[in-house]
Amino acid sequence: MHLEIITPDKKVFAGEANAVTLPGTEGQFQVLNRHAPLVSTLGKGDVVVDTGAAKQTYIIDGGVVEVLNNKVLVLAEAVL
């Protein structure tokens, strides 16, 4: 799936990922390839991106996520 992590200032990540773990306001959840459409608010916490070869972690300060047509768009308030 294609993943983008964007803040108001810059694009933090853009690329392919096998899985993304997100800090939802109601608890942590994971998005995998071909996930059902989803919109959710995000709290402060870790966004873990699994690209298959490596895992990268970004700490965000809240935001929203949209999952649609195997594309994941994370609009983060800030990356700490």
Side-chain angles (χ1 to χ4, degrees):
M1 71 186 145
H2 185 74
L3 169 67
E4 289 188 25
I5 301 174
I6 301 173
T7 68
D9 301 330
K10 62 184 175 183
K11 187 179 287 190
V12 178
F13 180 91
E16 295 299 311
N18 293 337
V20 184
T21 304
L22 300 156
T25 52
E26 298 295 318
Q28 188 179 50
F29 64 97
Q30 188 174 52
V31 175
L32 301 172
N33 281 324
R34 295 172 191 44
H35 196 283
L38 166 77
V39 174
S40 178
T41 55
L42 301 173
K44 184 176 182 178
D46 294 347
V47 175
V48 180
V49 179
D50 183 354
T51 61
K55 288 187 181 181
Q56 297 173 316
T57 302
Y58 302 93
I59 301 171
I60 64 166
D61 192 23
V64 296
V65 62
E66 177 190 51
V67 179
L68 185 63
N69 296 329
N70 218 30
K71 293 180 184 173
V72 180
L73 177 60
V74 177
L75 302 173
E77 295 289 332
V79 173
L80 307 174

